[in-house]
PDB file of all heavy atoms in Angstrom:
ATOM      1  N   TYR A  68     122.641 163.611  63.888  1.00  0.00           N
ATOM      2  CA  TYR A  68     122.303 162.498  62.853  1.00  0.00           C
ATOM      3  C   TYR A  68     123.449 162.543  61.836  1.00  0.00           C
ATOM      4  O   TYR A  68     123.818 161.395  61.281  1.00  0.00           O
ATOM      5  CB  TYR A  68     120.929 162.881  62.331  1.00  0.00           C
ATOM      6  CG  TYR A  68     120.324 161.876  61.320  1.00  0.00           C
ATOM      7  CD1 TYR A  68     119.617 160.818  61.935  1.00  0.00           C
ATOM      8  CD2 TYR A  68     120.500 161.917  60.020  1.00  0.00           C
ATOM      9  CE1 TYR A  68     118.972 159.923  61.094  1.00  0.00           C
ATOM     10  CE2 TYR A  68     119.764 160.951  59.193  1.00  0.00           C
ATOM     11  CZ  TYR A  68     119.160 159.911  59.800  1.00  0.00           C
ATOM     12  OH  TYR A  68     118.401 159.014  58.883  1.00  0.00           O
ATOM     13  N   LEU A  73     129.007 161.376  67.182  1.00  0.00           N
ATOM     14  CA  LEU A  73     128.051 160.601  68.014  1.00  0.00           C
ATOM     15  C   LEU A  73     128.454 159.144  68.194  1.00  0.00           C
ATOM     16  O   LEU A  73     127.997 158.556  69.180  1.00  0.00           O
ATOM     17  CB  LEU A  73     126.720 160.681  67.195  1.00  0.00           C
ATOM     18  CG  LEU A  73     125.466 160.216  68.040  1.00  0.00           C
ATOM     19  CD1 LEU A  73     125.223 161.164  69.109  1.00  0.00           C
ATOM     20  CD2 LEU A  73     124.244 160.130  67.173  1.00  0.00           C
ATOM     21  N   ARG A  79     131.572 156.958  62.484  1.00  0.00           N
ATOM     22  CA  ARG A  79     130.367 156.839  61.620  1.00  0.00           C
ATOM     23  C   ARG A  79     129.203 157.770  62.187  1.00  0.00           C
ATOM     24  O   ARG A  79     129.162 157.992  63.426  1.00  0.00           O
ATOM     25  CB  ARG A  79     129.934 155.404  61.436  1.00  0.00           C
ATOM     26  CG  ARG A  79     129.587 154.772  62.726  1.00  0.00           C
ATOM     27  CD  ARG A  79     129.164 153.318  62.641  1.00  0.00           C
ATOM     28  NE  ARG A  79     128.769 152.668  63.844  1.00  0.00           N
ATOM     29  CZ  ARG A  79     128.326 151.479  63.915  1.00  0.00           C
ATOM     30  NH1 ARG A  79     128.248 150.682  62.912  1.00  0.00           N
ATOM     31  NH2 ARG A  79     127.859 150.947  65.081  1.00  0.00           N
ATOM     32  N   ALA A  80     128.450 158.176  61.229  1.00  0.00           N
ATOM     33  CA  ALA A  80     127.250 158.966  61.591  1.00  0.00           C
ATOM     34  C   ALA A  80     126.034 158.045  61.303  1.00  0.00           C
ATOM     35  O   ALA A  80     126.052 157.103  60.465  1.00  0.00           O
ATOM     36  CB  ALA A  80     127.121 160.239  60.886  1.00  0.00           C
ATOM     37  N   CYS A  81     124.725 158.338  61.856  1.00  0.00           N
ATOM     38  CA  CYS A  81     123.560 157.703  61.534  1.00  0.00           C
ATOM     39  C   CYS A  81     123.428 157.787  59.966  1.00  0.00           C
ATOM     40  O   CYS A  81     123.058 156.824  59.280  1.00  0.00           O
ATOM     41  CB  CYS A  81     122.331 158.406  62.098  1.00  0.00           C
ATOM     42  SG  CYS A  81     122.500 158.591  63.897  1.00  0.00           S
ATOM     43  N   ALA A  82     123.681 159.059  59.426  1.00  0.00           N
ATOM     44  CA  ALA A  82     123.538 159.236  57.945  1.00  0.00           C
ATOM     45  C   ALA A  82     124.431 158.482  57.177  1.00  0.00           C
ATOM     46  O   ALA A  82     124.300 158.438  55.828  1.00  0.00           O
ATOM     47  CB  ALA A  82     123.676 160.700  57.684  1.00  0.00           C
ATOM     48  N   ASP A  83     125.384 157.819  57.648  1.00  0.00           N
ATOM     49  CA  ASP A  83     126.253 156.871  56.818  1.00  0.00           C
ATOM     50  C   ASP A  83     125.458 155.689  56.203  1.00  0.00           C
ATOM     51  O   ASP A  83     125.676 155.272  55.192  1.00  0.00           O
ATOM     52  CB  ASP A  83     127.462 156.454  57.614  1.00  0.00           C
ATOM     53  CG  ASP A  83     128.526 157.509  57.771  1.00  0.00           C
ATOM     54  OD1 ASP A  83     128.273 158.548  57.274  1.00  0.00           O
ATOM     55  OD2 ASP A  83     129.501 157.171  58.586  1.00  0.00           O
ATOM     56  N   CYS A  84     124.550 155.237  57.013  1.00  0.00           N
ATOM     57  CA  CYS A  84     123.565 154.063  56.524  1.00  0.00           C
ATOM     58  C   CYS A  84     122.251 154.670  56.093  1.00  0.00           C
ATOM     59  O   CYS A  84     121.440 154.038  55.506  1.00  0.00           O
ATOM     60  CB  CYS A  84     123.483 153.057  57.656  1.00  0.00           C
ATOM     61  SG  CYS A  84     124.904 152.050  57.863  1.00  0.00           S
ATOM     62  N   HIS A  85     121.830 155.854  56.733  1.00  0.00           N
ATOM     63  CA  HIS A  85     120.552 156.365  56.360  1.00  0.00           C
ATOM     64  C   HIS A  85     120.703 157.676  55.481  1.00  0.00           C
ATOM     65  O   HIS A  85     120.827 158.700  56.068  1.00  0.00           O
ATOM     66  CB  HIS A  85     119.899 156.681  57.743  1.00  0.00           C
ATOM     67  CG  HIS A  85     119.557 155.448  58.604  1.00  0.00           C
ATOM     68  ND1 HIS A  85     118.636 154.503  58.262  1.00  0.00           N
ATOM     69  CD2 HIS A  85     120.240 155.028  59.662  1.00  0.00           C
ATOM     70  CE1 HIS A  85     118.599 153.528  59.285  1.00  0.00           C
ATOM     71  NE2 HIS A  85     119.601 153.884  60.159  1.00  0.00           N
ATOM     72  N   ASN A  95     124.431 150.253  52.703  1.00  0.00           N
ATOM     73  CA  ASN A  95     125.757 150.199  53.392  1.00  0.00           C
ATOM     74  C   ASN A  95     125.685 149.144  54.592  1.00  0.00           C
ATOM     75  O   ASN A  95     126.683 148.938  55.282  1.00  0.00           O
ATOM     76  CB  ASN A  95     126.125 151.531  53.969  1.00  0.00           C
ATOM     77  CG  ASN A  95     126.296 152.537  52.779  1.00  0.00           C
ATOM     78  OD1 ASN A  95     126.651 152.043  51.702  1.00  0.00           O
ATOM     79  ND2 ASN A  95     126.320 153.793  53.025  1.00  0.00           N
ATOM     80  N   ALA A  96     124.591 148.522  54.853  1.00  0.00           N
ATOM     81  CA  ALA A  96     124.448 147.341  55.639  1.00  0.00           C
ATOM     82  C   ALA A  96     123.226 146.596  55.252  1.00  0.00           C
ATOM     83  O   ALA A  96     122.540 147.090  54.333  1.00  0.00           O
ATOM     84  CB  ALA A  96     124.156 147.835  57.106  1.00  0.00           C
ATOM     85  N   THR A  97     123.065 145.356  55.710  1.00  0.00           N
ATOM     86  CA  THR A  97     121.874 144.580  55.353  1.00  0.00           C
ATOM     87  C   THR A  97     120.653 145.128  55.912  1.00  0.00           C
ATOM     88  O   THR A  97     120.588 145.191  57.138  1.00  0.00           O
ATOM     89  CB  THR A  97     122.194 143.108  55.662  1.00  0.00           C
ATOM     90  OG1 THR A  97     123.518 142.830  55.060  1.00  0.00           O
ATOM     91  CG2 THR A  97     120.993 142.155  55.079  1.00  0.00           C
ATOM     92  N   GLY A  98     119.656 145.185  55.220  1.00  0.00           N
ATOM     93  CA  GLY A  98     118.233 145.383  55.741  1.00  0.00           C
ATOM     94  C   GLY A  98     118.123 146.791  56.358  1.00  0.00           C
ATOM     95  O   GLY A  98     117.280 146.858  57.340  1.00  0.00           O
ATOM     96  N   VAL A  99     118.857 147.744  55.921  1.00  0.00           N
ATOM     97  CA  VAL A  99     118.656 149.088  56.487  1.00  0.00           C
ATOM     98  C   VAL A  99     117.142 149.621  56.383  1.00  0.00           C
ATOM     99  O   VAL A  99     116.767 149.691  55.199  1.00  0.00           O
ATOM    100  CB  VAL A  99     119.569 150.177  55.939  1.00  0.00           C
ATOM    101  CG1 VAL A  99     119.408 151.543  56.580  1.00  0.00           C
ATOM    102  CG2 VAL A  99     120.971 149.708  56.030  1.00  0.00           C
ATOM    103  N   LEU A 100     116.530 149.993  57.440  1.00  0.00           N
ATOM    104  CA  LEU A 100     115.068 150.417  57.327  1.00  0.00           C
ATOM    105  C   LEU A 100     115.144 151.958  57.073  1.00  0.00           C
ATOM    106  O   LEU A 100     115.997 152.609  57.571  1.00  0.00           O
ATOM    107  CB  LEU A 100     114.406 150.119  58.572  1.00  0.00           C
ATOM    108  CG  LEU A 100     113.837 148.690  58.760  1.00  0.00           C
ATOM    109  CD1 LEU A 100     113.544 148.361  60.149  1.00  0.00           C
ATOM    110  CD2 LEU A 100     112.590 148.472  57.848  1.00  0.00           C
ATOM    111  N   PRO A 101     114.200 152.464  56.277  1.00  0.00           N
ATOM    112  CA  PRO A 101     114.144 153.819  55.892  1.00  0.00           C
ATOM    113  C   PRO A 101     113.693 154.696  57.144  1.00  0.00           C
ATOM    114  O   PRO A 101     113.052 154.087  58.074  1.00  0.00           O
ATOM    115  CB  PRO A 101     113.257 153.945  54.828  1.00  0.00           C
ATOM    116  CG  PRO A 101     112.319 152.726  54.982  1.00  0.00           C
ATOM    117  CD  PRO A 101     113.128 151.641  55.578  1.00  0.00           C
ATOM    118  N   HIS A 102     114.013 155.874  57.152  1.00  0.00           N
ATOM    119  CA  HIS A 102     113.441 156.734  58.346  1.00  0.00           C
ATOM    120  C   HIS A 102     112.447 157.691  57.579  1.00  0.00           C
ATOM    121  O   HIS A 102     112.756 158.727  56.968  1.00  0.00           O
ATOM    122  CB  HIS A 102     114.597 157.638  58.924  1.00  0.00           C
ATOM    123  CG  HIS A 102     115.550 156.787  59.700  1.00  0.00           C
ATOM    124  ND1 HIS A 102     116.764 157.241  60.063  1.00  0.00           N
ATOM    125  CD2 HIS A 102     115.396 155.495  60.070  1.00  0.00           C
ATOM    126  CE1 HIS A 102     117.311 156.284  60.701  1.00  0.00           C
ATOM    127  NE2 HIS A 102     116.600 155.236  60.808  1.00  0.00           N
ATOM    128  N   LEU A 105     108.339 157.824  60.860  1.00  0.00           N
ATOM    129  CA  LEU A 105     108.594 156.970  62.110  1.00  0.00           C
ATOM    130  C   LEU A 105     107.813 157.640  63.310  1.00  0.00           C
ATOM    131  O   LEU A 105     107.652 157.038  64.358  1.00  0.00           O
ATOM    132  CB  LEU A 105     109.998 156.771  62.346  1.00  0.00           C
ATOM    133  CG  LEU A 105     110.639 155.853  61.516  1.00  0.00           C
ATOM    134  CD1 LEU A 105     112.154 155.702  61.922  1.00  0.00           C
ATOM    135  CD2 LEU A 105     109.998 154.426  61.433  1.00  0.00           C
ATOM    136  N   SER A 110     106.703 150.365  67.145  1.00  0.00           N
ATOM    137  CA  SER A 110     107.725 149.419  67.344  1.00  0.00           C
ATOM    138  C   SER A 110     108.793 149.645  66.251  1.00  0.00           C
ATOM    139  O   SER A 110     108.443 150.073  65.178  1.00  0.00           O
ATOM    140  CB  SER A 110     107.189 147.908  67.362  1.00  0.00           C
ATOM    141  OG  SER A 110     106.358 147.854  66.170  1.00  0.00           O
ATOM    142  N   PHE A 111     109.967 149.225  66.646  1.00  0.00           N
ATOM    143  CA  PHE A 111     111.093 149.680  65.761  1.00  0.00           C
ATOM    144  C   PHE A 111     112.012 148.444  65.569  1.00  0.00           C
ATOM    145  O   PHE A 111     111.976 147.419  66.270  1.00  0.00           O
ATOM    146  CB  PHE A 111     111.937 150.691  66.333  1.00  0.00           C
ATOM    147  CG  PHE A 111     111.097 151.885  66.554  1.00  0.00           C
ATOM    148  CD1 PHE A 111     110.307 152.136  67.857  1.00  0.00           C
ATOM    149  CD2 PHE A 111     111.054 153.020  65.679  1.00  0.00           C
ATOM    150  CE1 PHE A 111     109.554 153.253  68.018  1.00  0.00           C
ATOM    151  CE2 PHE A 111     110.279 154.097  65.840  1.00  0.00           C
ATOM    152  CZ  PHE A 111     109.549 154.169  67.097  1.00  0.00           C
ATOM    153  N   LEU A 112     112.619 148.394  64.345  1.00  0.00           N
ATOM    154  CA  LEU A 112     113.441 147.312  63.835  1.00  0.00           C
ATOM    155  C   LEU A 112     112.614 146.276  63.283  1.00  0.00           C
ATOM    156  O   LEU A 112     111.435 146.058  63.679  1.00  0.00           O
ATOM    157  CB  LEU A 112     114.485 146.775  64.965  1.00  0.00           C
ATOM    158  CG  LEU A 112     115.389 147.904  65.611  1.00  0.00           C
ATOM    159  CD1 LEU A 112     116.237 147.222  66.714  1.00  0.00           C
ATOM    160  CD2 LEU A 112     116.258 148.566  64.576  1.00  0.00           C
ATOM    161  N   TRP A 113     113.093 145.372  62.464  1.00  0.00           N
ATOM    162  CA  TRP A 113     112.463 144.348  61.788  1.00  0.00           C
ATOM    163  C   TRP A 113     111.721 143.392  62.698  1.00  0.00           C
ATOM    164  O   TRP A 113     110.531 142.901  62.347  1.00  0.00           O
ATOM    165  CB  TRP A 113     113.302 143.551  60.828  1.00  0.00           C
ATOM    166  CG  TRP A 113     113.787 144.249  59.578  1.00  0.00           C
ATOM    167  CD1 TRP A 113     114.969 144.849  59.351  1.00  0.00           C
ATOM    168  CD2 TRP A 113     113.073 144.501  58.338  1.00  0.00           C
ATOM    169  NE1 TRP A 113     115.037 145.321  58.034  1.00  0.00           N
ATOM    170  CE2 TRP A 113     113.868 145.218  57.493  1.00  0.00           C
ATOM    171  CE3 TRP A 113     111.687 144.147  58.136  1.00  0.00           C
ATOM    172  CZ2 TRP A 113     113.354 145.591  56.272  1.00  0.00           C
ATOM    173  CZ3 TRP A 113     111.262 144.505  56.845  1.00  0.00           C
ATOM    174  CH2 TRP A 113     112.071 145.175  55.772  1.00  0.00           C
ATOM    175  N   ASN A 114     112.266 143.221  63.811  1.00  0.00           N
ATOM    176  CA  ASN A 114     111.728 142.196  64.722  1.00  0.00           C
ATOM    177  C   ASN A 114     110.969 142.938  65.869  1.00  0.00           C
ATOM    178  O   ASN A 114     110.373 142.314  66.881  1.00  0.00           O
ATOM    179  CB  ASN A 114     112.641 141.137  65.341  1.00  0.00           C
ATOM    180  CG  ASN A 114     113.717 141.833  66.164  1.00  0.00           C
ATOM    181  OD1 ASN A 114     113.708 142.936  66.433  1.00  0.00           O
ATOM    182  ND2 ASN A 114     114.776 141.016  66.378  1.00  0.00           N
ATOM    183  N   LEU A 121     109.454 157.144  69.756  1.00  0.00           N
ATOM    184  CA  LEU A 121     110.636 157.518  69.006  1.00  0.00           C
ATOM    185  C   LEU A 121     111.825 157.756  70.064  1.00  0.00           C
ATOM    186  O   LEU A 121     112.894 157.541  69.853  1.00  0.00           O
ATOM    187  CB  LEU A 121     110.489 158.880  68.178  1.00  0.00           C
ATOM    188  CG  LEU A 121     110.298 158.577  66.708  1.00  0.00           C
ATOM    189  CD1 LEU A 121     109.863 159.835  65.963  1.00  0.00           C
ATOM    190  CD2 LEU A 121     111.303 157.859  66.053  1.00  0.00           C
ATOM    191  N   ALA A 124     113.220 154.703  71.023  1.00  0.00           N
ATOM    192  CA  ALA A 124     113.998 154.206  69.886  1.00  0.00           C
ATOM    193  C   ALA A 124     115.331 154.815  69.772  1.00  0.00           C
ATOM    194  O   ALA A 124     116.424 154.260  69.655  1.00  0.00           O
ATOM    195  CB  ALA A 124     113.320 154.282  68.471  1.00  0.00           C
ATOM    196  N   MET A 125     115.382 156.151  69.925  1.00  0.00           N
ATOM    197  CA  MET A 125     116.687 156.975  69.902  1.00  0.00           C
ATOM    198  C   MET A 125     117.500 156.716  71.174  1.00  0.00           C
ATOM    199  O   MET A 125     118.693 156.683  70.916  1.00  0.00           O
ATOM    200  CB  MET A 125     116.304 158.389  69.745  1.00  0.00           C
ATOM    201  CG  MET A 125     115.589 158.874  68.356  1.00  0.00           C
ATOM    202  SD  MET A 125     116.481 158.295  67.059  1.00  0.00           S
ATOM    203  CE  MET A 125     115.365 157.233  66.180  1.00  0.00           C
ATOM    204  N   GLU A 128     119.287 153.648  70.077  1.00  0.00           N
ATOM    205  CA  GLU A 128     120.228 153.846  69.002  1.00  0.00           C
ATOM    206  C   GLU A 128     121.501 154.453  69.527  1.00  0.00           C
ATOM    207  O   GLU A 128     122.621 154.129  69.261  1.00  0.00           O
ATOM    208  CB  GLU A 128     119.664 154.672  67.986  1.00  0.00           C
ATOM    209  CG  GLU A 128     118.629 153.995  67.128  1.00  0.00           C
ATOM    210  CD  GLU A 128     119.047 152.958  66.154  1.00  0.00           C
ATOM    211  OE1 GLU A 128     120.250 152.938  65.882  1.00  0.00           O
ATOM    212  OE2 GLU A 128     118.135 152.181  65.715  1.00  0.00           O
ATOM    213  N   VAL A 129     121.291 155.493  70.544  1.00  0.00           N
ATOM    214  CA  VAL A 129     122.395 156.279  70.950  1.00  0.00           C
ATOM    215  C   VAL A 129     123.172 155.556  72.071  1.00  0.00           C
ATOM    216  O   VAL A 129     124.344 155.379  72.023  1.00  0.00           O
ATOM    217  CB  VAL A 129     121.971 157.624  71.609  1.00  0.00           C
ATOM    218  CG1 VAL A 129     123.097 158.381  72.381  1.00  0.00           C
ATOM    219  CG2 VAL A 129     121.427 158.500  70.385  1.00  0.00           C
ATOM    220  N   PHE A 132     123.251 150.913  70.597  1.00  0.00           N
ATOM    221  CA  PHE A 132     123.804 150.677  69.145  1.00  0.00           C
ATOM    222  C   PHE A 132     125.064 151.440  69.063  1.00  0.00           C
ATOM    223  O   PHE A 132     126.081 150.864  68.668  1.00  0.00           O
ATOM    224  CB  PHE A 132     122.762 150.999  68.039  1.00  0.00           C
ATOM    225  CG  PHE A 132     123.170 150.699  66.695  1.00  0.00           C
ATOM    226  CD1 PHE A 132     123.867 149.512  66.445  1.00  0.00           C
ATOM    227  CD2 PHE A 132     123.120 151.638  65.648  1.00  0.00           C
ATOM    228  CE1 PHE A 132     124.313 149.247  65.058  1.00  0.00           C
ATOM    229  CE2 PHE A 132     123.550 151.390  64.388  1.00  0.00           C
ATOM    230  CZ  PHE A 132     124.214 150.179  64.146  1.00  0.00           C
ATOM    231  N   PHE A 133     125.047 152.734  69.234  1.00  0.00           N
ATOM    232  CA  PHE A 133     126.262 153.590  69.070  1.00  0.00           C
ATOM    233  C   PHE A 133     127.153 153.494  70.293  1.00  0.00           C
ATOM    234  O   PHE A 133     128.418 153.558  70.149  1.00  0.00           O
ATOM    235  CB  PHE A 133     125.946 154.935  68.543  1.00  0.00           C
ATOM    236  CG  PHE A 133     125.910 155.187  67.109  1.00  0.00           C
ATOM    237  CD1 PHE A 133     125.698 154.214  66.186  1.00  0.00           C
ATOM    238  CD2 PHE A 133     126.289 156.422  66.631  1.00  0.00           C
ATOM    239  CE1 PHE A 133     125.640 154.402  64.886  1.00  0.00           C
ATOM    240  CE2 PHE A 133     126.298 156.663  65.231  1.00  0.00           C
ATOM    241  CZ  PHE A 133     126.010 155.646  64.424  1.00  0.00           C
ATOM    242  N   LEU A 167     117.263 163.834  68.693  1.00  0.00           N
ATOM    243  CA  LEU A 167     117.178 163.069  67.561  1.00  0.00           C
ATOM    244  C   LEU A 167     115.642 162.546  67.374  1.00  0.00           C
ATOM    245  O   LEU A 167     115.254 162.499  66.195  1.00  0.00           O
ATOM    246  CB  LEU A 167     117.988 161.665  67.759  1.00  0.00           C
ATOM    247  CG  LEU A 167     119.506 161.910  67.400  1.00  0.00           C
ATOM    248  CD1 LEU A 167     120.310 160.716  67.970  1.00  0.00           C
ATOM    249  CD2 LEU A 167     119.820 161.961  65.910  1.00  0.00           C
ATOM    250  N   GLN A 171     113.463 163.360  64.007  1.00  0.00           N
ATOM    251  CA  GLN A 171     112.778 162.213  63.360  1.00  0.00           C
ATOM    252  C   GLN A 171     111.313 162.607  63.066  1.00  0.00           C
ATOM    253  O   GLN A 171     110.845 162.144  62.019  1.00  0.00           O
ATOM    254  CB  GLN A 171     112.862 160.892  64.081  1.00  0.00           C
ATOM    255  CG  GLN A 171     114.279 160.244  64.112  1.00  0.00           C
ATOM    256  CD  GLN A 171     114.361 159.371  62.948  1.00  0.00           C
ATOM    257  OE1 GLN A 171     113.507 159.151  62.140  1.00  0.00           O
ATOM    258  NE2 GLN A 171     115.672 158.953  62.672  1.00  0.00           N
ATOM    259  N   LYS A 252     108.259 143.145  60.811  1.00  0.00           N
ATOM    260  CA  LYS A 252     107.474 144.440  60.785  1.00  0.00           C
ATOM    261  C   LYS A 252     107.103 144.821  59.320  1.00  0.00           C
ATOM    262  O   LYS A 252     108.012 144.773  58.453  1.00  0.00           O
ATOM    263  CB  LYS A 252     108.390 145.575  61.421  1.00  0.00           C
ATOM    264  CG  LYS A 252     107.828 146.973  61.231  1.00  0.00           C
ATOM    265  CD  LYS A 252     108.631 148.006  62.068  1.00  0.00           C
ATOM    266  CE  LYS A 252     108.602 149.331  61.486  1.00  0.00           C
ATOM    267  NZ  LYS A 252     109.089 150.339  62.379  1.00  0.00           N
TER     268      LYS A 252
HETATM  269  C1  LIG B 416     125.884 150.556  59.950  1.00  0.00           C
HETATM  270  C2  LIG B 416     124.627 151.152  59.436  1.00  0.00           C
HETATM  271  C3  LIG B 416     123.740 151.914  60.276  1.00  0.00           C
HETATM  272  C4  LIG B 416     124.118 153.044  61.049  1.00  0.00           C
HETATM  273  C5  LIG B 416     125.392 153.847  61.119  1.00  0.00           C
HETATM  274  C6  LIG B 416     122.772 153.396  61.626  1.00  0.00           C
HETATM  275  N1  LIG B 416     121.786 152.493  61.383  1.00  0.00           N
HETATM  276 FE1  LIG B 416     119.938 152.645  61.878  1.00  0.00          FE
HETATM  277  N2  LIG B 416     119.547 150.946  60.972  1.00  0.00           N
HETATM  278  C7  LIG B 416     120.421 150.097  60.322  1.00  0.00           C
HETATM  279  C8  LIG B 416     119.794 148.779  59.990  1.00  0.00           C
HETATM  280  C9  LIG B 416     120.600 147.648  59.336  1.00  0.00           C
HETATM  281  C10 LIG B 416     118.517 148.773  60.464  1.00  0.00           C
HETATM  282  C11 LIG B 416     117.666 147.582  60.480  1.00  0.00           C
HETATM  283  C12 LIG B 416     118.052 146.698  61.555  1.00  0.00           C
HETATM  284  C13 LIG B 416     117.068 145.708  62.158  1.00  0.00           C
HETATM  285  O1  LIG B 416     115.921 145.929  62.077  1.00  0.00           O
HETATM  286  O2  LIG B 416     117.534 144.733  62.751  1.00  0.00           O
HETATM  287  C14 LIG B 416     118.323 150.124  61.055  1.00  0.00           C
HETATM  288  C15 LIG B 416     117.168 150.571  61.633  1.00  0.00           C
HETATM  289  C16 LIG B 416     116.994 151.728  62.349  1.00  0.00           C
HETATM  290  C17 LIG B 416     115.758 152.191  62.861  1.00  0.00           C
HETATM  291  C18 LIG B 416     114.397 151.395  62.875  1.00  0.00           C
HETATM  292  C19 LIG B 416     113.416 152.000  61.893  1.00  0.00           C
HETATM  293  C20 LIG B 416     112.190 151.227  61.901  1.00  0.00           C
HETATM  294  O3  LIG B 416     111.382 151.328  60.874  1.00  0.00           O
HETATM  295  O4  LIG B 416     111.825 150.436  62.782  1.00  0.00           O
HETATM  296  C21 LIG B 416     115.903 153.393  63.465  1.00  0.00           C
HETATM  297  C22 LIG B 416     115.043 154.301  64.225  1.00  0.00           C
HETATM  298  C23 LIG B 416     117.433 153.685  63.278  1.00  0.00           C
HETATM  299  N3  LIG B 416     117.819 152.704  62.436  1.00  0.00           N
HETATM  300  C24 LIG B 416     117.853 154.838  63.705  1.00  0.00           C
HETATM  301  C25 LIG B 416     119.324 155.186  63.641  1.00  0.00           C
HETATM  302  C26 LIG B 416     119.993 156.103  64.299  1.00  0.00           C
HETATM  303  C27 LIG B 416     119.268 157.285  65.050  1.00  0.00           C
HETATM  304  C28 LIG B 416     121.341 156.099  63.912  1.00  0.00           C
HETATM  305  C29 LIG B 416     122.476 156.856  64.456  1.00  0.00           C
HETATM  306  C30 LIG B 416     122.556 156.951  65.960  1.00  0.00           C
HETATM  307  C31 LIG B 416     121.479 154.821  63.095  1.00  0.00           C
HETATM  308  N4  LIG B 416     120.215 154.309  62.921  1.00  0.00           N
HETATM  309  C32 LIG B 416     122.667 154.512  62.503  1.00  0.00           C
HETATM  310  C33 LIG B 416     121.654 150.490  59.915  1.00  0.00           C
HETATM  311  C34 LIG B 416     122.314 151.570  60.454  1.00  0.00           C
END
Side-chain angles (χ1 to χ4, degrees):
Y68 188 85
L73 196 65
R79 60 182 184 177
C81 306
D83 288 354
C84 287
H85 297 284
N95 295 339
T97 304
V99 181
L100 279 160
H102 292 166
L105 289 181
S110 48
F111 301 88
L112 306 177
W113 284 105
N114 64 10
L121 263 174
M125 294 303 120
E128 293 286 344
V129 170
F132 181 48
F133 262 31
L167 280 164
Q171 285 279 344
K252 172 171 153 164

